[in-house]
Amino acid sequence: MYPLTDANNPILYEDGDEDEAGQASTALAPIEETSPLGYNVNFVNATLVNTSAIVGMGIFSTPSFILRSVGSVGMLIALYLFVPLITLAGLMVYIELTSMCGHKRSGAEVVYLEEAYPKPRFLLPTAFALITALLSHAGVSSTVFAKYVLDGYNIEATPSRQRSIAIAMVTVAVWVCLFSNKWALRINGVTAFLKIGCLILISATGLACLLGWTSVPSSGNLKHPFDGSLYEANPLATSIVKVLYNFVGWNSILGLMAEVKGRQPIRTIKRAGIASVLIAACLFITTLLSFSIILTKEEFINANEVLGAIFLRKVYGDAVATKVFPIFIGISTFGGIVSVTLYYGRMLREAGRQGMLPFATFWSRVGRFKTPYGPVLLKWGLAVLLIVITPAKDTVVFLIDLASYPALVFSLLIGCGVWVLRRRRQQLGLPEHAYRAPNFIVLIYVLQSVALLIMPWIPPKDGSKGGDVGFFYATYCIVAVLLLLLCGVYYWIRFRALPEWLGYELIEETISLPGGVKVMALKKVYKDNSEGQEEPLLQGERGD
C-alpha cells in the first residue's frame, strides 16, 4: 500500500495555517475541512456529554465488588480519590495529542494511534475501534438496569428476561443517535441533570443521617475506616480497574472534536473535560460516604449490583427502592448509552475513513440526519451480541474486567504516543503545538497502564478461582489477548496473505462523497493486468 504522505517529504496545505500544516504532515487519512456531522457541541453540552458518560451505572453496581476486594471503606474511598488523578492525567495526555493531531478530526484514540504508529498501516487504530466498540459498557449498563427492574417488581430474574430488557434498552438508546445529533445531545443533557440531582439527593441523605436528622442510625463505618483493609496485588488491580470503569466516558467529548463550535475548540474541550471529571469525582465520593454511613459493612458488600436500591430501601422504604429507583436507573442508563454511542459512532466512522474496514464508504457516509448511521448500527449490533453471549450470572463483573484489559494496552500505546509524536514533529520542523502535558504527567499515565497490565496475572491467595468471578481469575486477560491477536490475524490475512496469494496489490485513493465526506479507499490492482482492468474495492468519486 502506498501512503498519502511521506514522513520525509510531507505534503502540507498550501493555504492553511501552521496548525493545519502539522495535521496534514502527520495524518494518514484525509482531513475533512468542514465537519459533515455539523457543529452542535459547545462548552455546556460538552461538559454534560462527559458527565453523563461518566455518571452511570458504575457507582451503583461496582462499589460492593470493590469493597469485597479491598476489605475496608477507607480503602474504597481512597481509590475513588486516587483514580480521578489518573483520569485527569489521561485527559492532559489526550488534550496534547488532540493539539498535535488537530481539531478537524473526531475519533480521539483512533486518530492518535494512526498518527503515532503509522506502521503497520492503520492496524492499531482499527483494532482499537473494533475491540472497544465490542466491549463497551453499554451492555453492562443495560444488564444492570434489567436486574434492577426485575428485582424491583418482584419478577424472577431469568437470563432470558434479563437479556431481553437489556437489549430493549440498548436498542432505544442507540436508535436515538441515528436520527438527530442535536436531540441526542439534548436528551443527554436532560439525563445528566437528573443523574446529578439523584446523586446530590443520596449525598444529602447520608449527611442527614450523620447529623441525626433521620430515624436510620449511622453504621459507624467511618469511625474505623481502614479496619480489614486488604493489600493483595490481584484484588487491588481489579479494584482499580473497576473504579476506572466508573470514570469511563471522561474522553467521550474528545471523540466529537470536529463538531465543537467556536474559534478555540481544543480549549473548550479541555475545560469541559476537567469540569466533568471534577463534578463526577465529587459526586462519587459523597455518594460512597452516604452508602458507608447508612449501610453496614455486610450490607454494603452483599448488595452487589443493586446497591442503590438497598440503600434507598433502608432509608425511604420499599416503594421508593423498588418502584421509583428503577426509573432513575433507566434514565441514567439511557443517557449513558446515548453518550457513549455518540462517541463510538465517531470513532468507528474515523476507522472506516482510514479504509481498513471492509466497505469503507458505508462506515464513512453521513445520512440525511447528519448522523453516522453505519457505525451507530454496528455499535448496536455489537452491544446486543455481547449481552446475548455472556453468561448472565457473571455478566457485570466479567464485562467490566474484559473491557478494561485491551483499554489498558491501548492506554499504554497512547501515552507513549505523546513522546513519539513530539519527536516526529521535531524532526519535521513543525511549530510547537498549543498544549503540552508535563512529562511527569505522561509518565504517570504510562506507568499506571503498565502496572495494571501486570497485576491481574498475579494469582489471588484463594487460588485460580479466587477472583471476582466464578471461574479462572485471569480469564478476562486471556480473552482480551486473544481478541488482540485476532485483530492481528485479520490484518495479516487481508493485507498481506490474500494480496500475495491472489496476485494483487492494494492501492489507496481518496474518495469524496456527498456532504463533504472524504474517505480513504483501497482498490485491487492485479499485477498481471493492465491499468484498465483494475478492480476497485469501493466505488466513488475520486478526490483530487
Side-chain angles (χ1 to χ4, degrees):
M1 293 184 291
Y2 303 106
L4 290 179
T5 59
D6 184 348
N8 297 319
N9 184 26
I11 302 172
L12 305 181
Y13 287 115
E14 294 181 358
D15 57 351
D17 58 20
E18 290 181 338
D19 183 47
E20 289 177 331
Q23 294 173 43
S25 58
T26 55
L28 301 182
I31 296 174
E32 296 167 327
E33 293 302 313
T34 303
S35 172
L37 301 174
Y39 296 93
N40 300 303
V41 180
N42 54 36
F43 171 77
V44 174
N45 58 27
T47 304
L48 293 175
V49 164
N50 257 26
T51 304
S52 181
I54 297 172
V55 180
M57 289 307 308
I59 192 62
F60 299 113
S61 60
T62 58
S64 290
F65 300 106
I66 298 169
L67 180 58
R68 192 177 304 157
S69 296
V70 299
S72 72
V73 170
M75 281 291 291
L76 174 67
I77 301 297
L79 290 181
Y80 275 84
L81 288 170
F82 169 69
V83 167
L85 300 179
I86 296 177
T87 303
L88 288 172
L91 180 63
M92 294 301 100
V93 168
Y94 275 47
I95 292 296
E96 177 172 355
L97 286 166
T98 301
S99 180
M100 289 191 282
C101 298
H103 61 81
K104 292 185 177 180
R105 297 183 65 188
S106 295
E109 294 93 340
V110 168
V111 178
Y112 310 152
L113 290 167
E114 169 204 310
E115 299 200 15
Y117 305 100
K119 294 181 180 180
R121 196 165 177 79
F122 296 126
L123 170 61
L124 291 177
T126 304
F128 173 84
L130 291 177
I131 289 177
T132 53
L134 172 63
L135 302 179
S136 73
H137 67 278
V140 179
S141 300
S142 56
T143 300
V144 174
F145 166 69
K147 191 173 181 64
Y148 267 100
V149 170
L150 295 172
D151 181 71
Y153 290 91
N154 297 317
I155 302 172
E156 183 182 357
T158 63
S160 61
R161 287 173 179 166
Q162 186 169 324
R163 288 175 179 140
S164 297
I165 295 172
I167 290 171
M169 169 61 74
V170 167
T171 300
V172 175
V174 169
W175 281 66
V176 166
C177 299
L178 273 178
F179 296 107
S180 175
N181 290 323
K182 286 185 178 180
W183 276 103
L185 289 169
R186 289 169 183 168
I187 291 171
N188 173 81
V190 171
T191 59
F193 278 116
L194 290 173
K195 293 179 187 185
I196 292 170
C198 181
L199 293 187
I200 290 174
L201 174 63
I202 291 175
S203 302
T205 300
L207 178 62
C209 177
L210 190 64
L211 296 175
W213 295 350
T214 69
S215 59
V216 180
S218 173
S219 65
N221 284 324
L222 300 183
K223 292 181 179 179
H224 304 284
F226 289 95
D227 282 358
S229 296
L230 303 173
Y231 301 99
E232 295 179 60
N234 185 284
L236 185 60
T238 57
S239 297
I240 293 174
V241 162
K242 289 180 178 63
V243 181
L244 285 169
Y245 163 75
N246 284 193
F247 285 87
V248 163
W250 60 266
N251 56 339
S252 293
I253 195 57
L254 287 154
L256 283 70
M257 189 69 238
E259 301 167 51
V260 181
K261 300 177 182 178
R263 300 175 62 181
Q264 295 181 305
I266 296 178
R267 186 174 69 174
T268 299
I269 293 304
K270 179 182 178 181
R271 292 176 175 177
I274 293 173
S276 60
V277 171
L278 293 179
I279 290 170
C282 291
L283 290 172
F284 286 170
I285 291 169
T286 55
T287 298
L288 288 173
L289 287 172
S290 291
F291 289 161
S292 303
I293 291 168
I294 299 291
L295 301 176
T296 65
K297 190 173 180 179
E298 291 72 22
E299 290 172 332
F300 202 146
I301 289 175
N302 295 324
N304 295 332
E305 299 100 327
V306 291
L307 174 61
I310 290 175
F311 170 84
L312 291 174
R313 181 181 289 120
K314 189 167 183 178
V315 179
Y316 296 107
D318 285 339
V320 172
T322 61
K323 302 300 187 290
V324 178
F325 192 59
I327 296 174
F328 163 75
I329 294 298
I331 294 171
S332 178
T333 303
F334 190 86
I337 296 175
V338 168
S339 294
V340 298
T341 301
L342 288 169
Y343 163 71
Y344 282 112
R346 275 68 178 171
M347 181 189 68
L348 288 168
R349 179 178 181 271
E350 196 63 30
R353 288 199 327 109
Q354 294 171 343
M356 293 298 103
L357 298 179
F359 315 110
T361 54
F362 174 73
W363 308 118
S364 306
R365 287 184 186 274
V366 174
R368 60 180 297 185
F369 302 109
K370 288 192 173 183
T371 58
Y373 59 87
V376 171
L377 289 173
L378 177 62
K379 174 71 185 68
W380 172 77
L382 292 175
V384 170
L385 174 65
L386 202 61
I387 292 170
V388 170
I389 66 175
T390 306
K393 180 180 178 182
D394 291 311
T395 296
V396 173
V397 176
F398 181 72
L399 289 185
I400 292 171
D401 291 343
L402 178 59
S404 70
Y405 205 77
L408 289 168
V409 173
F410 291 115
S411 293
L412 175 60
L413 292 170
I414 288 169
C416 294
V418 172
W419 294 319
V420 173
L421 277 175
R422 284 179 184 174
R423 179 178 176 81
R424 185 172 303 147
R425 289 176 64 89
Q426 186 178 22
Q427 291 173 341
L428 293 172
L430 296 175
E432 186 69 19
H433 46 286
Y435 297 92
R436 188 182 181 94
N439 276 318
F440 80 91
I441 293 291
V442 182
L443 183 62
I444 288 172
Y445 190 67
V446 168
L447 290 179
Q448 66 90 22
S449 299
V450 172
L452 292 177
L453 284 170
I454 295 173
M455 290 169 68
W457 293 95
I458 301 174
K461 68 175 183 179
D462 295 329
S464 62
K465 294 186 178 180
D468 51 5
V469 291
F471 38 85
F472 181 59
Y473 72 95
T475 299
Y476 73 94
C477 299
I478 296 171
V479 174
V481 171
L482 289 175
L483 286 173
L484 291 168
L485 290 175
L486 280 176
C487 289
V489 170
Y490 161 78
Y491 185 90
W492 178 79
I493 291 175
R494 187 182 178 201
F495 301 108
R496 294 289 185 267
L498 286 179
E500 182 177 345
W501 295 341
L502 300 180
Y504 63 82
E505 294 180 349
L506 291 172
I507 304 298
E508 294 176 344
E509 66 176 357
T510 300
I511 292 177
S512 297
L513 300 172
V517 174
K518 291 184 179 180
V519 57
M520 183 84 72
L522 304 179
K523 67 176 183 179
K524 297 176 183 176
V525 177
Y526 287 90
K527 297 176 182 178
D528 55 352
N529 287 356
S530 64
E531 184 177 351
Q533 294 174 305
E534 293 175 1
E535 297 185 10
L537 285 177
L538 302 165
Q539 300 293 333
E541 178 186 347
R542 186 174 300 187
D544 295 332

